[in-house]
Amino acid sequence: SNNFPKLSFCKYLTKKTTTKYYGDNNFTVFESINKEIILVYSICHCSILFYDIEHDILLNNIKEAHKAQITNFRHVRDKNNNRDLLLSISDTIKNIKIWDIKNYNCILNIEKTYYDGFLFSACFLIDEINKKGYIISVNYNSEPLKIFNLEGKNIRKINNCEDQSYMVDSYYNSYRS
């Protein structure tokens, strides 16, 4: 079938983004609670940039957001608290930070999530029924997956020592019967 949409290049949004490897979610794009289409990416000096795609403007630049290069991002709409949350990772120092997009404040800083290796991936898991949020993280050096609550407390470990893990993700099915 030749029913493919025709795509055309519009413009460069940035030439400054940096990442050290092809990993999961080196940037993220989402529609905010305020209906803005936001691109989030990092640049040198460990900064996080928030770019409004529709209005072609830089919304904010959090300088020195981490102490080492930022390698991953995840977004979630926290419906329980009517806010957008951004998760950022610095893999070499095993650091996870959670940001409230409304005011660009860091609301959680989990340092040294693992003892060895690299923090390869992390994601949100929101339980809308019980109104709780979690962070799941993975380290490829045979340490277990870890589950943190949104206060930063490690509440559970999932042992995965048999294999190396490089990515963790969650899926939300909005269908309700």
Side-chain angles (χ1 to χ4, degrees):
S1 169
N2 290 332
N3 294 334
F4 296 111
K6 295 190 181 209
L7 302 176
S8 61
F9 175 77
C10 293
K11 69 178 196 171
Y12 285 105
L13 295 177
T14 181
K15 293 181 181 181
K16 298 179 182 180
T17 185
T18 59
T19 188
K20 74 178 191 181
Y21 64 89
Y22 299 110
D24 74 333
N25 295 20
N26 301 134
F27 63 91
T28 190
V29 178
F30 60 92
E31 182 180 24
S32 74
I33 287 176
N34 299 327
K35 303 295 184 199
E36 301 162 309
I37 306 297
I38 299 175
L39 167 69
V40 179
Y41 60 97
S42 66
I43 61 171
C44 296
H45 310 298
C46 311
S47 297
I48 300 175
L49 284 85
F50 298 83
Y51 186 85
D52 183 327
I53 293 176
E54 288 184 313
H55 297 103
D56 196 23
I57 57 170
L58 183 65
L59 297 172
N60 199 1
N61 178 356
I62 302 174
K63 296 180 180 178
E64 299 178 8
H66 283 266
K67 294 177 184 172
Q69 185 180 37
I70 301 164
T71 53
N72 302 72
F73 293 105
R74 297 294 177 114
H75 165 266
V76 72
R77 180 168 291 158
D78 180 3
K79 293 177 185 175
N80 297 325
N81 296 299
N82 194 35
R83 62 186 178 176
D84 288 299
L85 297 178
L86 179 76
L87 178 149
S88 60
I89 296 173
S90 183
D91 67 346
T92 56
I93 60 173
K94 301 165 226 24
N95 181 218
I96 297 173
K97 289 189 176 184
I98 307 297
W99 307 86
D100 185 340
I101 303 299
K102 182 179 181 179
N103 53 23
Y104 305 103
N105 285 337
C106 180
I107 61 171
L108 179 62
N109 182 11
I110 306 172
E111 295 181 321
K112 299 179 183 173
T113 55
Y114 291 96
Y115 297 107
D116 195 20
F118 297 96
L119 172 61
F120 261 28
S121 183
C123 70
F124 288 106
L125 179 63
I126 302 295
D127 179 352
E128 291 180 4
I129 295 169
N130 295 313
K131 299 186 185 235
K132 294 183 180 182
Y134 304 97
I135 302 160
I136 304 172
S137 66
V138 65
N139 173 310
Y140 80 100
N141 261 10
S142 47
E143 285 190 62
L145 279 91
K146 292 184 179 180
I147 301 175
F148 299 90
N149 62 22
L150 289 183
E151 288 77 44
K153 181 181 178 188
N154 184 347
I155 61 169
R156 185 171 299 137
K157 295 179 182 181
I158 301 172
N159 196 349
N160 64 330
C161 292
E162 298 289 321
D163 297 309
Q164 292 180 332
S165 299
Y166 294 95
M167 184 181 162
V168 63
D169 204 354
S170 59
Y171 172 75
Y172 298 94
N173 184 352
S174 60
Y175 175 75
R176 303 257 193 235
S177 56

